[in-house]
Amino acid sequence: MSQRRYEMTDFEWSIIQPLLPNKPRGVPRADDRKVLNGIYWRLRTGSPWADIPERYGPSTTCYNRFVRWQKLGVWDRIFEAITAAYDGDLQMIDSSSIRVHQHGANAKKGVRRPPPGTSLTPDAWGARGAG
């Protein structure tokens, strides 16, 4: 399998493989590495599960395995092992930016505000029931 943008390296796979549950019974399982690459592709791109490329197997397999492993705590073990293997040399930067919608940038129209220099007690700016 040639290395693609969202796929694990051989080093990462050598760390992850022993941590995966292996209960061989019934129908043979889809290749774990292929399914993991499909899960990582989905998580990194933010695409819907149904849009996972065919080379990673059925999207339902990727989704079901993701959910099942979450319940078993497999993901926590994987992240801890990868973090330990890179010994703090791996850093991630979130480059997302959040902007306020143009209508959310200003206060609502008709909101009564006290004139500058007045105290902020309700009776200073004419609130009902003050006194």
Side-chain angles (χ1 to χ4, degrees), residues 66-106:
F66 174 79
V67 172
R68 191 177 313 125
W69 287 353
Q70 178 205 4
K71 290 176 184 175
L72 294 173
V74 174
W75 293 113
D76 294 332
R77 292 193 300 269
I78 289 173
F79 292 136
E80 289 171 8
I82 292 292
T83 302
Y86 277 103
D87 197 30
D89 291 339
L90 184 64
Q91 297 179 359
M92 296 182 160
I93 298 173
D94 182 8
S95 63
S96 62
S97 78
I98 300 171
R99 293 182 55 190
V100 175
H101 189 271
Q102 62 184 357
H103 299 298
N106 298 325

Side-chain angles (χ1 to χ4, degrees), residues 40-60:
Y40 292 148
W41 181 91
R42 191 270 178 204
L43 296 175
R44 289 177 179 159
T45 62
S47 297
W49 286 101
D51 291 347
I52 293 176
E54 291 180 13
R55 67 179 174 264
Y56 299 125
S59 60
T60 53

Side-chain angles (χ1 to χ4, degrees), residues 11-34:
F11 173 69
E12 292 165 340
W13 176 242
S14 68
I15 296 165
I16 293 172
Q17 186 178 17
L19 302 173
L20 301 178
N22 187 15
K23 295 183 180 179
R25 57 185 165 155
V27 179
R29 290 168 37 124
D31 179 31
D32 284 331
R33 185 171 183 170
K34 183 172 70 169

Side-chain angles (χ1 to χ4, degrees), residues 102-124:
Q102 62 184 357
H103 299 298
N106 298 325
K108 292 182 179 179
K109 292 182 181 180
V111 174
R112 294 183 62 186
R113 293 203 171 105
T118 59
S119 68
L120 295 180
T121 59
D123 60 337

